[in-house]
Amino acid sequence: DRTFEKYAWEWYAKKKWTTNHRRTVKSRLENYILPWIGNIPVDKISAQDVLLVCRRVEEKGAIETAVGRQNTIRIEIDMISL
């Protein structure tokens, strides 16, 4: 099972963050990223998929969050490709 969600949680588990930052990242994954692309195999995620996640966040009025989510998705996809 090579879904984005699987790798996102593996990436999350390896990070050494403060408690508050862990909570923030977890919330962003659960609320802004995984509902939309969590079930997609990582090798099938397109730039369009990432853009749609960012647009959905923007629609909620969270522009800074959208930019952050795009960066988080890009970092996770880059790590998976290693």
Side-chain angles (χ1 to χ4, degrees):
D1 187 20
R2 294 180 44 87
T3 64
F4 184 83
E5 182 169 12
K6 175 184 184 270
Y7 287 102
W9 290 125
E10 287 177 10
W11 168 80
Y12 176 84
K14 292 177 186 176
K15 293 302 195 178
K16 304 294 182 208
W17 293 315
T18 64
T19 301
N20 286 338
H21 190 66
R22 289 187 72 75
R23 189 176 310 125
T24 298
V25 172
K26 182 179 182 190
S27 174
R28 289 174 177 170
L29 283 169
E30 292 174 340
N31 293 307
Y32 296 115
I33 299 174
L34 298 179
W36 307 111
I37 63 171
N39 64 344
I40 301 175
V42 292
D43 58 349
K44 302 295 184 199
I45 295 174
S46 68
Q48 183 68 24
D49 293 323
V50 174
L51 181 60
L52 288 173
V53 169
C54 293
R55 293 245 166 93
R56 287 182 177 114
V57 173
E58 287 174 349
E59 289 170 3
K60 293 182 179 186
I63 301 296
E64 289 179 20
T65 299
V67 172
R69 297 310 54 74
Q70 182 180 10
N71 290 335
T72 300
I73 294 167
R74 185 180 306 121
I75 289 166
E76 290 175 357
I77 290 173
D78 287 346
M79 288 179 55
I80 291 164
S81 341
L82 296 176

